[in-house]
Amino acid sequence: MRVELSYCTNVHPAEDLPGILRQLDEHAGPIRRAAGLDRLGVGLWMPVGVASALADDPRARAVLAAALERNGLELRTVNAFPYRGFHDDVVKLAVYRPDWTTPERLEYTLDCARALAGLLPDGAEGSISTLPLGWRAGWDAAADRAAEQHLSRLVEGLAALERETGRTVRVAIEPEPGCILDDVADVVAWLGARPELTAEGRLGLCLDTCHLAVSFADPAGAVSAATAVGIRIVKVQASVALEVPDPADPRTAAALRPFAEERYVHQVREAGRMRRADDLAEVLDAIEPWPSDRPWRVHVHIPLHARPAAPLRATTEVLVAAVDAVRAAPHGDAAHLDVETYTWSVLPDSLQPETLVDGIAAELRWVHAHLPHALAGVPASAAPSEITRSARNHTVAEARTVSSRTDRVLSTPPTDRRPITNEERSRA
């Protein structure tokens, strides 16, 4: 058994069922054909109104099922991180609301689970990715207790759904920089202290490999730490971060400026996590420049096949290492692999394809070229071609060059994992 591949439809600005049907006909189907695939998974984003309608109305599910079938698509995974408005002019921190302290987040996630259970292929299990509790600002012990209570009710609801339908749906917490569960280590600590939430495998981890890279975590170590405390890796969001290997390069600020856009947050981390920013503009416009002796990484989802121009690079090697680590983990072959580059509409011109279909199809072809051994439906003997292996080795060589500059700082745990505030930065 090997992982099922899909691409995430949160890249498309559809907030109702007719809009989702159009995106399947106008984008997902053509992407499958352009990528040369007989079948393709979609990681469906269900805004709250769509999730409610699909959960309650079998006729709505039948309409969606027909659209999936005519386009040669399958639905196994859902992105339930954004609640609504993911393509508003300004999203920023609104993407983390409502958080897991609220009954609205619980109800929305259970609606997604009910809808997914009614749309899964026969014999398949489903997965849903969700936010890492919430954004850190204002979080306290009461918020922690509320989130724990709602996640406990979620696990109970998923068990009831399985008894009712015979379908297994798992929910995966997706750590993200700046949130309460900032990285995999935070998820391990929080869920590890609450083993009853993960005991039956219905609540686990979504490993977004862009977020993983921004945290400067070792992929194999992160996966091992999670599985050691019984946390199942339910889903991998295949994504790539932006890296500044040498911030002292005088071209750095000009190269980064096009990525500092107004819709999404682009958190920045310095190797060793000594400096943190909640958005790229905070670094570029800081009164006191950030240190330039350690690499930086930026939460910008770069197309998987892209190679940003120097002095920037993509963290492709983190994605490859993470997929290999997950496949070697318990239940790893049952994880879902969802390509999640939602940033196409805000990327600089230098990274734009002729059409969105071309861009996403190129990402899927990249996955088939670089990770054929991991994919369901690909012969087990498949391996990267000589050209692909050469490119992969080149990527690893680039990573080793960067790592040689950061091993020393990464070997020393940070003394304070709190993000540095603007006020603190101005006093520094």
Side-chain angles (χ1 to χ4, degrees):
M1 185 175 180
R2 287 178 288 168
V3 297
E4 297 287 346
L5 177 65
S6 58
Y7 93 91
C8 186
T9 66
N10 66 353
V11 65
H12 306 304
E15 296 274 344
D16 56 20
L17 184 55
I20 288 177
L21 299 177
R22 284 194 301 274
Q23 74 182 220
L24 298 181
D25 291 334
E26 297 175 5
H27 289 98
I31 286 166
R32 177 189 62 78
R33 294 188 291 272
L37 303 175
D38 293 332
R39 302 287 289 181
L40 173 62
V42 288
L44 196 66
W45 173 48
M46 295 184 191
V48 58
V50 174
S52 177
L54 291 173
D56 295 338
D57 188 351
R59 293 170 299 178
R61 291 197 299 272
V63 170
L64 178 56
L68 292 165
E69 183 58 33
R70 70 173 172 261
N71 283 291
L73 307 170
E74 292 183 345
L75 176 61
R76 298 169 187 260
T77 188
V78 166
N79 188 322
F81 196 126
Y83 188 76
R84 64 159 66 96
F86 193 55
H87 290 269
D88 288 350
D89 290 342
V90 179
V91 178
K92 297 295 183 182
L93 300 185
V95 75
Y96 308 110
R97 298 192 294 269
D99 61 29
W100 272 104
T101 66
T102 68
E104 290 82 6
R105 176 59 64 172
L106 171 63
E107 181 180 354
Y108 166 56
T109 309
L110 285 173
D111 277 348
C112 287
R114 285 189 285 268
L116 178 58
L119 290 160
L120 285 170
D122 290 342
E125 295 185 353
S127 66
I128 299 173
S129 48
T130 188
L131 76 165
L133 305 189
W135 188 249
R136 70 180 186 279
W139 198 269
D140 56 17
D144 227 43
R145 288 193 297 272
E148 181 178 357
Q149 291 167 0
H150 285 130
L151 286 170
S152 179
R153 290 174 59 190
L154 171 71
V155 171
E156 293 171 358
L158 295 175
L161 179 67
E162 185 169 344
R163 290 192 298 270
E164 176 188 341
T165 67
R167 301 295 182 88
T168 299
V169 176
R170 308 181 194 279
V171 172
I173 292 177
E174 177 188 336
E176 180 170 323
C179 292
I180 295 302
L181 305 183
D182 182 286
D183 58 16
V184 173
D186 288 339
V187 176
V188 169
W190 200 88
L191 285 180
R194 298 162 176 83
E196 67 281 0
L197 294 179
T198 59
E200 296 181 350
R202 291 190 175 90
L203 183 65
L205 176 66
C206 173
L207 202 62
D208 183 299
T209 58
C210 172
H211 303 172
L212 183 70
V214 173
S215 73
F216 283 92
D218 167 60
V223 170
S224 177
T227 57
V229 295
I231 300 174
R232 180 173 178 145
I233 315 299
V234 172
K235 181 174 179 178
V236 178
Q237 284 180 178
S239 53
V240 173
L242 191 65
E243 182 170 81
V244 186
D246 181 13
D249 190 310
R251 300 171 294 172
T252 294
L256 285 173
R257 183 65 67 177
F259 294 93
E261 51 82 32
E262 293 300 317
R263 178 170 293 162
Y264 302 116
V265 288
H266 298 298
Q267 301 93 320
V268 188
R269 297 292 183 266
E270 177 191 29
R273 294 185 291 187
M274 304 304 292
R275 287 285 183 117
R276 301 174 165 205
D278 288 338
D279 215 347
L280 179 56
E282 294 179 26
V283 178
L284 297 176
D285 300 333
I287 296 174
E288 180 183 348
W290 269 34
S292 59
D293 59 336
R294 298 168 176 167
W296 306 341
R297 285 179 179 171
V298 186
H299 176 210
V300 177
H301 285 223
I302 300 299
L304 304 190
H305 61 290
R307 295 294 176 268
L312 308 179
R313 67 178 297 274
T315 61
T316 316
E317 78 287 345
V318 176
L319 163 59
V320 174
V323 170
D324 288 345
V326 169
R327 288 190 65 244
H331 309 292
D333 279 354
H336 295 144
L337 181 64
D338 197 32
V339 174
E340 201 220 10
T341 306
Y342 62 82
T343 48
W344 287 103
S345 63
V346 297
L347 289 175
D349 290 344
S350 61
L351 294 176
Q352 290 291 345
E354 286 292 322
T355 69
L356 184 58
V357 168
D358 293 333
I360 297 174
E363 291 190 289
L364 295 170
R365 288 194 297 270
W366 183 94
V367 173
H368 275 262
H370 288 254
L371 300 169
H373 57 291
L375 301 179
V378 177
S381 60
S385 66
E386 288 298 328
I387 294 175
T388 301
R389 281 197 294 269
S390 175
R392 185 171 178 174
N393 291 340
H394 179 67
T395 300
V396 172
E398 286 179 330
R400 287 172 178 162
T401 299
V402 174
S403 295
S404 68
R405 304 180 70 242
T406 62
D407 282 344
R408 185 174 66 257
V409 297
L410 291 178
S411 65
T412 304
T415 57
D416 181 7
R417 302 188 68 234
R418 246 185 345 100
I420 293 176
T421 66
N422 290 334
E423 182 181 356
E424 290 169 329
R425 191 174 294 118
S426 65
R427 291 200 306 264

